[in-house]
Amino acid sequence: MVIVGVLVLMLSFLSVGAQESEWLDYELFLEQLLDLLPEEEAETSDVSEWMERWTYYVQHPLDLNLVSADDLMELGFLSPLIAGRIIEHRNRSGAFLSILELQSIAGLDAAAAQLLAHVLRVKPISTLQAINYQELIEEGAHELLLRHGRGLETPLGYRIKDDSRSRYLGSPDRILLRYKYQYASRFRVILNMEKDPGEKFWSSGSAVGVDHLSGGVAVRNQGIFDQFILGDYVLQFGQGLGIWMGFSPGGNGALLHGIARQGAGLKLHTSADEINFFRGLAGTVQWRKVRWTPFLSYRQRDASVSEDVSGRSIFASLSSSGLHRTPNEVANKGQVDQWTTGLNAEFGSHSWSVGSTIYTSILNAFWQPQELLRNRYAFRGSQIWNGSVYYRLNFRNMYIFGEWASAQNKAPAFLNGVLLSVHPHLSLGVQHRHYHRAYHAFFAQAAGAGSGSQNEKGIYVGLHYQPSRRISWVLYADFFRFPWIRYRIDGPSTGVDLFTQFTYSWTR
């Protein structure tokens, strides 16, 4: 229901004078894209971020002669193989003269070409040299989104008035106010103000009325910086074993290429997610054929902090809900300070690259999980170092990818895979992963059947057969094992995830 509301609101940003056929084409475009998302991920709030991105690109199409492989991958529905082939075709044959030239790209089916036609254009060469501040005001794109939701029934937590009982302090209303400004690809501003159901207006620690406030400013191609961000941002490198924030379609039947992550690097945090982002400053600089991305962040994290017998501040876990509804949740808000600083370096081209990330996180309290058997290999301490090395290679009909990561306790985690175009109508994907039971990274978000990118081994094999533009058959098998015990599972466990889907599209 939330997704439908966001769709309606974003459609309202289109020109009032649009023709009926254009509205129908646009609605069909968003419907086709949403169908590509996994069902379990399509229900998350971050889908709104993807829809807003697609809406912006429809209104402000990317220049096919300037777009990079990373830009194409950010669209979310292209495989690394196809994105690389588009760039390779441009480098080999020269600038595109028409969007129709995409039909000559090997492996690009008609459905994907139709989707690209909504968000790509062949534009005349721009003579833009520097930002003109009058143009910033007059020609920039402003977007304002107001979203409100409320359940039909009132849960018990809102009706309790006894101060001695746990209860929700605020109203059941969910409110999001978002302002976005963008000038071409050079300058962006984002401001999010959100109140979750049960949270109070003007609650403790909130000086702006709502419980959560986030925002940032991003500038591109200015001075020595390819990009510079002040405020809230996210980082996506490699396959997510070292550091990955934000939403990404995972490996599933409908998106075979989702088993291979294509990180966007540094980008502005635009969603309402209250947990997976950094707050501070970061930039990307090109120096000696290497892209360097240093970053610094300071966040206040939610946790129940107490003292041990020596007077040291300790906590058992960091809250990942972002909710501050009850007196206890409000009391735990922002109790742990987390400093994170690090550096990413990447070298390569559109067809291959090698990169590395190293960073450290420092807490002002000691992480001391409960003394349970399942926590035997859990992280303990107030500081941790993480490092990873990742690679990708787009060679002919193969896309090879992988990442190796380790924490300061030397517990390894690695993931490797290949996407192979066996035949113009048949694609194969294979992925192998091994995450040590003691591996820990605060910001890891790699592919897997479990959470936390630890204590898991697995092999994924998937096939996509498309004999014609109307027929598509996808199937995969994911075999996984958890070597150590987990929450509510008192021994090593195994599982298999099987999926098959046959699609017949009788008309466009």
Side-chain angles (χ1 to χ4, degrees):
M1 190 171 184
V2 173
I3 294 176
V4 175
V6 175
L7 174 60
V8 173
L9 283 169
M10 288 193 299
L11 286 173
S12 67
F13 289 123
L14 293 176
S15 171
V16 176
Q19 298 296 321
E20 182 179 357
S21 61
E22 294 175 342
W23 279 82
L24 292 176
D25 286 347
Y26 180 69
E27 291 176 349
L28 178 61
F29 168 69
L30 283 183
E31 181 181 343
Q32 290 170 333
L33 288 172
L34 286 173
D35 285 343
L36 293 177
L37 296 180
E39 181 178 352
E40 64 272 14
E41 291 175 333
E43 298 175 355
T44 65
S45 60
D46 270 341
V47 172
S48 64
E49 179 184 354
W50 282 84
M51 295 179 68
E52 290 169 21
R53 184 184 307 173
W54 292 328
T55 301
Y56 178 83
Y57 286 144
V58 168
Q59 296 175 324
H60 307 87
L62 295 166
D63 189 343
L64 186 54
N65 288 320
L66 297 178
V67 71
S68 67
D70 289 343
D71 294 331
L72 292 173
M73 289 301 299
E74 274 201 47
L75 298 175
F77 56 85
L78 287 181
S79 71
L81 274 172
I82 299 303
R85 286 175 182 173
I86 293 175
I87 303 302
E88 183 180 359
H89 176 88
R90 187 179 68 196
N91 294 339
R92 184 180 63 250
S93 304
F96 285 92
L97 301 178
S98 169
I99 195 72
L100 298 178
E101 286 186 55
L102 288 174
Q103 298 178 19
S104 65
I105 304 298
L108 181 63
D109 57 44
Q114 291 169 6
L115 293 175
L116 286 175
H118 285 275
V119 295
L120 294 178
R121 293 290 185 274
V122 175
K123 301 179 182 180
I125 299 176
S126 174
T127 58
L128 181 64
Q129 298 295 326
I131 292 180
N132 182 300
Y133 293 101
Q134 183 176 356
E135 292 181 355
L136 278 176
I137 298 175
E138 297 177 354
E139 299 183 14
H142 301 266
E143 295 183 10
L144 185 64
L145 169 68
L146 176 61
R147 185 170 69 203
H148 173 267
R150 182 166 181 161
L152 297 178
E153 297 182 3
T154 303
L156 178 62
Y158 298 101
R159 302 196 299 267
I160 296 175
K161 304 301 180 183
D162 187 350
D163 292 347
S164 64
R165 298 176 61 188
S166 179
R167 67 198 188 284
Y168 295 151
L169 301 176
S171 71
D173 301 287
R174 179 191 297 273
I175 298 174
L176 171 66
L177 178 64
R178 174 177 296 154
Y179 169 74
K180 294 175 66 175
Y181 170 83
Q182 182 158 342
Y183 175 73
S185 61
R186 306 284 297 276
F187 185 72
R188 295 184 68 191
V189 177
I190 181 74
L191 179 65
N192 282 313
M193 304 175 69
E194 185 192 40
K195 171 199 170 304
D196 290 310
E199 295 176 343
K200 291 180 61 177
F201 281 107
W202 306 102
S203 61
S204 175
S206 173
V208 292
V210 294
D211 177 78
H212 177 65
L213 174 67
S214 70
V217 177
V219 180
R220 301 188 68 175
N221 302 322
Q222 292 296 304
I224 64 172
F225 290 100
D226 289 346
Q227 183 175 201
F228 178 80
I229 294 180
L230 177 63
D232 297 341
Y233 60 92
V234 297
L235 297 173
Q236 296 179 348
F237 297 120
Q239 299 302 309
L241 276 179
I243 189 168
W244 188 283
M245 299 170 162
F247 174 75
S248 176
N252 67 93
L255 289 172
L256 180 63
H257 65 263
I259 66 173
R261 296 280 181 88
Q262 186 75 10
L266 168 66
K267 64 177 186 177
L268 200 62
H269 175 58
T270 59
S271 79
D273 180 12
E274 300 184 30
I275 304 299
N276 295 312
F277 68 93
F278 282 152
R279 174 166 290 169
L281 51 91
T284 300
V285 180
Q286 188 81 25
W287 184 69
R288 294 183 181 270
K289 298 183 179 181
V290 180
R291 289 179 59 182
W292 302 86
T293 304
F295 53 93
L296 174 66
S297 167
Y298 169 72
R299 291 279 314 280
Q300 291 182 310
R301 305 294 301 274
D302 297 352
S304 177
V305 179
S306 59
E307 292 187 353
D308 59 13
V309 293
S310 64
R312 179 179 60 177
S313 297
I314 61 172
F315 64 98
S317 64
L318 292 174
S319 173
S320 59
S321 69
L323 299 174
H324 309 106
R325 305 161 300 180
T326 67
N328 284 340
E329 289 175 345
V330 172
N332 295 339
K333 182 178 180 180
Q335 293 300 302
V336 175
D337 296 339
Q338 183 177 37
W339 286 91
T340 305
T341 183
L343 175 68
N344 171 267
E346 186 171 311
F347 172 73
S349 66
H350 72 276
S351 60
W352 68 273
S353 67
V354 177
S356 178
T357 306
I358 185 170
Y359 67 95
T360 183
S361 286
I362 303 173
L363 308 169
N364 70 335
F366 192 88
W367 188 319
Q368 181 65 56
Q370 292 179 303
E371 294 300 329
L372 302 172
L373 186 58
R374 62 182 171 87
N375 291 332
R376 178 176 179 178
Y377 298 99
F379 168 73
R380 292 168 172 79
S382 58
Q383 181 177 3
I384 186 171
W385 283 89
N386 292 96
S388 72
V389 177
Y390 57 90
Y391 68 93
R392 65 174 179 87
L393 173 63
N394 197 338
F395 178 70
R396 294 185 179 178
N397 62 335
M398 292 189 300
Y399 183 83
I400 306 171
F401 59 93
E403 183 173 12
W404 176 89
S406 180
Q408 65 188 33
N409 61 0
K410 300 182 180 180
F414 54 85
L415 179 152
N416 295 281
V418 60
L419 288 170
L420 179 63
S421 180
V422 181
H423 183 272
H425 301 307
L426 181 64
S427 298
L428 169 68
V430 179
Q431 176 207 82
H432 172 259
R433 58 190 184 274
H434 177 104
Y435 310 150
H436 194 278
R437 66 191 69 179
Y439 177 72
H440 179 84
F442 281 114
F443 312 107
Q445 192 180 328
S451 60
S453 301
Q454 63 184 126
N455 185 35
E456 181 177 342
K457 299 179 181 179
I459 296 179
Y460 170 104
V461 180
L463 289 171
H464 182 196
Y465 178 57
Q466 190 167 16
S468 70
R469 59 185 297 179
R470 294 187 176 186
I471 297 176
S472 175
W473 183 30
V474 180
L475 67 157
Y476 78 77
D478 188 17
F479 303 90
F480 51 88
R481 180 175 185 269
F482 303 109
W484 188 245
I485 62 176
R486 305 165 66 220
Y487 179 62
R488 291 188 174 180
I489 300 178
D490 58 2
S493 55
T494 61
V496 59
D497 185 12
L498 301 174
F499 176 91
T500 183
Q501 174 178 292
F502 179 84
T503 304
Y504 176 71
S505 305
W506 56 91
T507 66
R508 177 181 173 183

